[in-house]
Amino acid sequence: MAKTALIVDDSPTMRQMVAFTLTNAGFKVIEAEHGIDAVNKVAGGAKMDLVVTDLNMPEMDGITLIKELRKIATFKFTPILMLTTESAEDKKKAGKEAGATGWIVKPFNPELMLKIIAKVMPA
Amino acid sequence: MSNDFAQFQDAFFEEAAEHLAIVEEGLLALEQHPEDLDLLAKIFRSAHSIKGTAGMFGFNAVAQFTHKMETLLDLLRNGQKVVTPQIADLLLKSTDCLKTLIEAAKSNEPVDNEVVQRLTGELAAASESGGQAAPQAGVAAKAASAPAANQGHTYIISWTPPAWLFQRGLDPLQIFKELGALGTLSEVTVDTTKLPELAAMDPETCYLAWTMKLNTVKDRKVVEGVFEFVREDSILKIEEGHEAREENRLQPASPSPLASNPLPIASGLAPAEGEEPKPLGELLVESGAVSRETLDKALSQQKRVGEILVEQQAVTPQQVEQALLKQRQQESAAHAKKTDTASIRVDTAKIDKLINLVGELVITQSMLSDLGARFEMRQMPILLERMAQLERNTREIQERVMGIRMLPIGTAFSRFPRLVRDLSAKAGKKIQLVLSGEETELDKTVIESIGDPLTHLVRNSADHGLEPPEERLDNNKPELGTIRLNAFHEGGSICITVEDDGRGLNRDKILAKGIKQGLITENDKLSDDQIWALIFKPGFSTAEKVTDVSGRGVGMDVVKRNIEALGGTVSIKTALGKGTTFTLKLPLTLAIIDGMTVRVGQETYIVPLLSILESIQPKPEVIKTVVGKGELINVRGTYLPMMRMYEVFSLQPEYTDPTKAILLILETEGERVAVMVDEILGQQQVVIKSMEQNFRKVEGVAGATILGDGTVGFILDVRGLLEMARRGTPVAA
C-alpha cells in the first residue's frame, strides 16, 4: 500500500515541489496550507506515514503544529521533517524540542529530500 | 538546482509577485503602525517564502538579497530594533530592488549590481547598528578536512541516544540500517544496564545504548552524518579502530586521491536503478575524498571547448565568437517562447462550479438527442423548453469560463499606496489615498493594460489636481488632500473612478490654452464637456511648469488612447475648487464585444457598439464631395468623412444613394467618421476571433466572428477605417 505523506507549507510553489518529489517516490500526498489546515485534515483520525512541514506559516506555525501532532496518538512515532532555511539554527532547535524527527534544509533537490526521508522512514 | 523543479518556475514567479505585493503593502501600513507585530510577522513570512523558494530554483541573487531583508525584518519582528522611517524607507527600496532581481531572474537579464550592493550594505548596516547582529549560522562551510586516503576505516562507534528518542519518531534501527549501507557493520552490542524493572519501564523511553564496529571506505564525516538528527542530544563516540591503521599500513598508499581508481569509492555509492550516474567530481565530494571547494577550483580550471579548439588552431576566435552568439540567440529565443505562456491561478471553487455546469450541459444534450431520435410535432413545446435550458446552460458556462480569467482589480490598485506615498513626499503635499471596490473582478488582460493609464491619472491628480497645503488651508479645505480610487460594475462594463478633492479643472484656463494652441477659436461655442475633452488632445497641458512628476509631454491623450484601445471610454466630472473625477468605463473582457450587426449587400458586418454615436439617414444637401478628400457629410455643422462600405470591401450593395442607405456615425479617440451601410440588423454579443492568427491582417477589419446562421461576420476596425478615410483612398480588399 502506498505510504501517505502530509505536506504543510503556505507557499503553493513549495508545496507543489515537495508533492511532486514525494509523488514520484510513490507516496500518496495530502497537502495543507498551514498548521490549522493540517490539524483539521488529520482530525478525522487520518494516519500519515510521514509529515513534511514548513516552519513559518500563518494561522499556526510549524513548531506549534509539530507539538499538536505529537499529542495525537497516531502521530506519536510518525516521522516529522521540518523544512528550514540554512540559517535557521534556532528554529531547528525549537523544532527538535517540539518533537520533530529531522529537518530538510532549503534549498534542496528531490534526490536530497528523498535521501533524508529514507533516513527516517522504515523501508 | 535540479531541473526537475524547472516546471514550477512560472508558479514561483506568480507567487513571488503576490508576496512582493504583501511585503510592499505591509511596509506601507507599517509606516502608519510601526508597532504592529502581526503586520511584521506577515511581511517576514512573505520575504521568507520568497527566499526559500528562490533558492530552490537557483536564483541565488534573489535568495541572498531576501536573506538580508529577512535578517532586518527578523530583528524588527523580535523587537530588537524598532521601525523608524529610515528603516521603512530602506525596506521599501529593498523591495523595489528585490522586484528587479526577480524580474531579472525571470528574463535572464543582468541587473544593476551597484544598487544591489549598496542596498545590501545598507541592510547589513541597519541590521548591525543597535540590537544584536543577526545570528549568522553556517556563515561559511567549515573548511573541509584535508582529503584523506580512502583505503577504508574501521570505526568503533559507541552511541547512547537520548531517552526521548522514540518521541521524535526516531528509530535506532534506521540508524543501524544506514550505517550498514556504508560498509560492514559488525560486533553490535547493546548495553542494557540502564533498563529498569519491567514494571517500572516506560515503553516510550529509550534505555539502551550500543557499541558497534563499522568497516567502511567512507570518511568520518559521512559516518557522523548518519547521526545528524540525534548527534547533539546523544553521547556519541566515533573512534578510528586500530585494525584500520594496520590495514592502511599494509596497503600501498595511492599516489593521489584524485588520480586514484574511483571504483572503490563509487562501488559504495552504486546508483540505484534508474538513477542518473553522477559526475565523478560529485561522487568524490560525496565520499569525502575532496571538499566542494577543491572540486569547484579544479572545475574552474577546466578550459572551455572553444578555447581548446582555438589553441589547437582548429578554429579561429571569430568563429567561436559567432557560434557563441548563435547559441545565445537560440537560448533567448527558447526563453522568449517559454515566457509567452502566461499562467493564471484559479480558485478551485470556480473550477468545481464549471465542472458541475458542464455536467448539466451534458444532461441537457442527452435529453435533446433523446427527443430528436423520435421527434413528433406535438412535442414541440418540450423541444422549445429544452432549447431554452440549453441556452441557459451555455450562457452560464460562457460567463463562468470568462470568470476564470477574472481577477480582482485589487492587484492593479496595489501599486498606488506606494506611488501616492512617493508623490506626496516629492510634491510636498499631504495626500491620503482611499481605495474601494478592490474585489471587483475583471479580465486579466484588461487589468494588465489599465495599470499605466491609472497611474497617469493618479499622478495627474496628485500633481495638478490637489493644491499645496497652504493653498488648501486658505480655501478652507483640510490640509490633507484625498485621492479616491473606486471600481464597480455597471451593466456589462466596469467603471473605475479616480477622484480628487483638489482645485478642479479651470474652464477659462483650458479655453485660453486651447485657443493659444489653435485647437479651437475664440468664436467656438463649446459645452463644458467639449472643453474638458480638450485636455485629451495630444500635447495639451495646463501645467504652468514641468514637474518631476508630470507635464513631460506624455499626457492625457495617451491615457485616452490606451483606454479606447481596450474598448473603453474616459469621462470627466469636475467642479472648480471642489475636485475632479475621471471615470474609466471598460468592457469586462476583450474576448467578447457588444456589437451592432449591419448589412452591406449580402454581407453582414459587426460594428463595436461602443464606437457608434448615432445613425442617420442623410438629406441630399448635407453630402459634399471635396477633391482629394473624398466625400464629406455635414452633421449639424461639423463635416465628417464619409465612407461607402461597399466600396471599401468591393461589394454589390442594395443602395448606392446615401439618402436611401443608413449612415453610422462612429467615433474613436475623439475622431469621427460616417460609414454607409444598407441596413441595421440588430444588436448582439459576439465572440472575437483573430483574423491575423487564422488568415491575415485585413485593413478595416478588427476580427471575425461566427454568426447565428453559421456564416462569418467581420468586425469593423473603426480606428483602421478612420485612417483609410484620412488617406482618402478606399482600398478594395
Side-chain angles (χ1 to χ4, degrees):
Chain A
M1 220 190 68
K3 293 204 155 86
T4 309
L6 173 66
I7 299 170
V8 195
D9 201 312
D10 57 329
S11 153
T13 316
M14 194 62 86
R15 250 186 353 247
Q16 276 176 27
M17 290 192 282
V18 178
F20 169 79
T21 307
L22 292 185
T23 314
N24 281 354
F27 278 90
K28 187 172 165 277
V29 165
I30 291 174
E31 296 181 29
E33 55 184 290
H34 49 65
I36 300 273
D37 190 18
V39 170
N40 287 340
K41 282 195 170 138
V42 300
K47 199 177 163 337
M48 300 290 156
D49 299 289
L50 172 73
V51 179
V52 179
T53 177
D54 188 24
L55 292 181
N56 278 298
M57 290 181 292
E59 307 294 326
M60 183 196 279
D61 67 14
I63 308 253
T64 316
L65 171 66
I66 294 169
K67 281 185 196 154
E68 288 299 312
L69 287 180
R70 284 290 181 230
K71 282 185 205 158
I72 304 172
T74 46
F75 281 88
K76 228 170 193 172
F77 307 117
T78 310
I80 304 179
L81 291 173
M82 48 188 189
L83 287 169
T84 70
T85 44
E86 73 294 336
S87 58
E89 206 57 47
D90 50 335
K91 280 291 165 72
K92 226 181 249 181
K93 197 157 165 271
K96 264 164 47 174
E97 273 158 19
T101 312
W103 53 85
I104 297 170
V105 176
K106 286 190 270 191
F108 59 83
N109 58 25
E111 208 181 318
L112 179 68
M113 172 169 237
L114 293 177
K115 220 182 225 173
I116 293 167
I117 288 171
K119 245 175 143 57
V120 297
M121 290 279 298
Chain B
M1 201 37 53
S2 170
N3 278 332
D4 289 351
F5 286 149
Q7 53 172 313
F8 301 113
Q9 269 194 26
D10 286 347
F12 163 69
F13 287 122
E14 214 164 288
E15 196 184 314
E18 280 167 28
H19 283 306
L20 276 171
I22 292 174
V23 170
E24 184 164 47
E25 247 169 60
L27 287 171
L28 289 169
L30 202 62
E31 281 188 307
Q32 314 301 321
H33 314 280
E35 67 299 325
D36 190 336
L37 286 177
D38 286 347
L39 209 53
L40 269 166
K42 201 167 144 195
I43 300 170
F44 178 86
R45 269 200 310 271
S46 280
H48 187 77
S49 204
I50 293 178
K51 173 179 127 177
T53 325
M56 303 289 307
F57 295 106
F59 300 141
N60 295 330
V62 175
Q64 278 158 15
F65 189 78
T66 321
H67 177 70
K68 294 283 180 218
M69 287 180 72
E70 196 194 76
T71 306
L72 181 54
L73 284 168
D74 194 33
L75 290 172
L76 299 172
R77 185 177 66 151
N78 296 336
Q80 284 165 277
K81 289 186 79 74
V82 287
V83 183
T84 61
Q86 289 78 17
I87 286 187
D89 207 56
L90 172 62
L91 283 170
L92 274 169
K93 272 192 228 146
S94 303
T95 310
D96 290 344
C97 177
L98 182 57
K99 227 180 260 177
T100 322
L101 283 170
I102 290 173
E103 279 304 314
K106 194 174 179 177
S107 60
N108 247 333
E109 301 282 327
V111 281
D112 182 1
N113 255 317
E114 205 183 302
V115 178
V116 180
Q117 292 300 336
R118 181 168 52 78
L119 284 172
T120 305
E122 279 179 41
L123 282 169
S127 306
E128 269 158 26
S129 58
Q132 71 189 67
Q136 281 280 351
V139 175
K142 277 169 232 128
S145 52
N150 273 281
Q151 260 54 52
H153 312 266
T154 299
Y155 295 108
I156 308 292
I157 303 167
S158 71
W159 176 42
T160 311
W164 41 258
L165 184 74
F166 305 132
Q167 283 146 27
R168 272 179 52 201
L170 286 155
D171 186 347
L173 199 60
Q174 279 296 114
I175 299 220
F176 300 144
K177 273 188 191 158
E178 216 180 317
L179 285 173
L182 296 178
T184 318
L185 192 65
S186 57
E187 295 173 34
V188 183
T189 55
V190 59
D191 175 5
T192 56
T193 50
K194 294 230 181 75
L195 209 59
E197 290 292 304
L198 190 58
M201 201 171 95
D202 173 6
E204 291 179 16
T205 299
C206 179
Y207 300 99
L208 305 176
W210 290 268
T211 53
M212 64 211 101
K213 194 160 98 181
L214 175 67
N215 260 302
T216 177
V217 291
K218 299 287 169 62
D219 198 52
R220 168 188 288 264
K221 270 176 77 181
V222 180
V223 179
E224 274 175 7
V226 173
F227 294 93
E228 191 184 0
F229 294 152
V230 289
R231 189 167 47 198
E232 282 170 35
D233 310 292
S234 303
I235 306 166
L236 178 67
K237 261 192 264 171
I238 303 176
E239 291 174 328
E240 197 135 353
H242 292 289
E243 274 168 84
R245 281 175 210 155
E246 296 293 318
E247 276 169 23
N248 275 350
R249 237 174 269 150
L250 291 173
Q251 280 175 349
S254 97
S256 136
L258 266 171
S260 72
N261 183 355
L263 266 180
I265 301 160
S267 67
L269 283 156
E273 234 175 295
E275 203 179 312
E276 290 270 319
K278 290 183 187 163
L280 172 64
E282 283 300 314
L283 292 173
L284 288 170
V285 170
E286 267 182 38
S287 68
V290 292
S291 70
R292 173 74 56 191
E293 289 82 3
T294 320
L295 173 68
D296 288 345
K297 215 168 150 194
L299 285 176
S300 70
Q301 284 165 3
Q302 261 183 5
K303 286 197 176 154
R304 287 161 168 261
V305 173
E307 286 176 45
I308 296 170
L309 289 172
V310 171
E311 270 175 29
Q312 290 176 353
Q313 301 193 329
V315 293
T316 67
Q318 287 77 18
Q319 284 172 314
V320 174
E321 197 55 44
Q322 273 177 359
L324 280 173
L325 189 72
K326 197 166 175 192
Q327 186 186 31
R328 272 198 295 273
Q329 282 168 348
Q330 282 173 352
E331 271 169 8
S332 61
H335 187 78
K337 211 176 215 174
K338 201 174 151 230
T339 45
D340 267 350
T341 56
S343 63
I344 192 164
R345 273 214 255 142
V346 183
D347 188 355
T348 42
K350 282 187 178 175
I351 294 178
D352 290 346
K353 182 76 195 166
L354 202 53
I355 289 169
N356 282 343
L357 278 170
V358 172
E360 278 178 41
L361 183 71
V362 170
I363 293 169
T364 311
Q365 186 271 331
S366 70
M367 278 161 56
L368 273 169
S369 52
D370 187 49
L371 190 67
R374 42 190 172 76
F375 184 74
E376 293 166 32
M377 272 319 283
R378 60 179 178 83
Q379 288 172 311
M380 201 61 191
I382 306 177
L383 177 69
L384 289 177
E385 187 189 304
R386 296 201 176 154
M387 292 302 288
Q389 193 176 337
L390 181 68
E391 195 191 321
R392 272 199 306 277
N393 288 155
T394 316
R395 195 175 45 238
E396 201 169 341
I397 287 178
Q398 185 201 359
E399 274 167 19
R400 301 272 174 181
V401 170
M402 308 297 284
I404 287 184
R405 293 187 55 86
M406 296 293 192
L407 290 176
I409 196 169
T411 51
F413 278 4
S414 61
R415 68 165 89 170
F416 293 115
R418 174 69 187 282
L419 180 78
V420 169
R421 171 189 178 273
D422 292 352
L423 285 175
S424 62
K426 241 181 216 167
K429 295 177 183 175
K430 290 192 177 161
I431 309 174
Q432 66 166 337
L433 177 72
V434 182
L435 299 175
S436 51
E438 291 110 309
E439 68 293 334
T440 312
E441 291 193 330
L442 73 167
D443 195 283
K444 191 174 187 240
T445 46
V446 181
I447 286 192
E448 282 162 2
S449 317
I450 56 164
D452 289 342
L454 276 181
T455 305
H456 194 90
L457 288 175
V458 171
R459 276 171 189 269
N460 190 72
S461 288
D463 205 36
H464 302 317
L466 294 175
E467 315 88 332
E470 319 80 66
E471 193 183 323
R472 288 182 69 89
L473 289 172
D474 286 349
N475 291 330
N476 286 328
K477 281 180 164 183
E479 206 182 357
L480 181 70
T482 305
I483 298 176
R484 281 172 210 279
L485 266 174
N486 186 22
F488 54 93
H489 286 292
E490 200 180 73
S493 311
I494 181 160
C495 290
I496 306 168
T497 57
V498 181
E499 182 188 347
D500 67 61
D501 63 349
R503 47 172 83 99
L505 291 177
N506 190 322
R507 192 189 149 97
D508 298 335
K509 245 187 189 170
I510 294 172
L511 267 178
K513 186 96 184 183
I515 294 166
K516 198 175 149 201
Q517 292 197 346
L519 296 168
I520 45 170
T521 65
E522 281 179 59
N523 302 326
D524 280 340
K525 294 244 177 328
L526 297 179
S527 69
D528 279 358
D529 283 343
Q530 283 169 311
I531 295 169
W532 308 147
L534 285 174
I535 68 168
F536 293 118
K537 293 284 181 198
F540 193 92
S541 173
T542 50
E544 278 118 51
K545 54 177 184 177
V546 171
T547 69
D548 198 20
V549 180
S550 59
R552 280 180 297 188
V554 185
M556 300 294 279
D557 57 317
V558 180
V559 172
K560 192 164 155 78
R561 189 157 356 115
N562 286 345
I563 295 300
E564 286 182 351
L566 290 170
T569 56
V570 190
S571 59
I572 304 175
K573 238 175 40 200
T574 183
L576 195 62
K578 295 234 172 78
T580 310
T581 305
F582 289 92
T583 304
L584 311 184
K585 200 166 177 186
L586 291 158
L588 282 177
T589 170
L590 301 180
I592 292 183
I593 57 161
D594 277 313
M596 185 79 86
T597 44
V598 297
R599 185 175 61 81
V600 182
Q602 301 296 313
E603 298 293 324
T604 307
Y605 289 89
I606 294 102
V607 188
L609 207 57
L610 270 168
S611 50
I612 301 178
L613 287 182
E614 59 181 322
S615 63
I616 54 171
Q617 210 157 18
K619 295 203 167 68
E621 61 269 22
V622 303
I623 302 156
K624 303 265 185 291
T625 310
V626 181
V627 178
K629 281 201 164 176
E631 285 174 296
L632 296 179
I633 172 157
N634 182 349
V635 182
R636 292 182 292 274
T638 315
Y639 281 93
L640 309 177
M642 184 178 93
M643 302 184 85
R644 296 170 184 249
M645 292 310 292
Y646 67 89
E647 280 182 1
V648 175
F649 295 113
S650 307
L651 301 168
Q652 202 57 53
E654 186 176 345
Y655 307 109
T656 50
D657 176 2
T659 57
K660 297 225 171 72
I662 302 263
L663 287 185
L664 291 174
I665 313 296
L666 309 182
E667 185 190 53
T668 186
E669 298 170 30
E671 288 179 75
R672 295 179 194 184
V673 63
V675 164
M676 182 179 144
V677 300
D678 286 340
E679 188 189 2
I680 291 176
L681 299 174
Q683 188 185 328
Q684 75 175 78
Q685 277 201 332
V686 296
V687 180
I688 303 174
K689 307 271 181 198
S690 162
M691 288 284 283
E692 281 110 309
Q693 273 172 32
N694 300 311
F695 177 52
R696 64 176 169 85
K697 174 115 188 77
V698 177
E699 195 167 25
V701 172
T705 193
I706 315 286
L707 296 165
D709 61 0
T711 59
V712 172
F714 293 115
I715 301 161
L716 295 186
D717 170 18
V718 181
R719 173 82 251 153
L721 286 175
L722 260 162
E723 271 159 26
M724 288 161 79
R726 198 176 294 147
R727 289 201 308 267
T729 48
V731 181

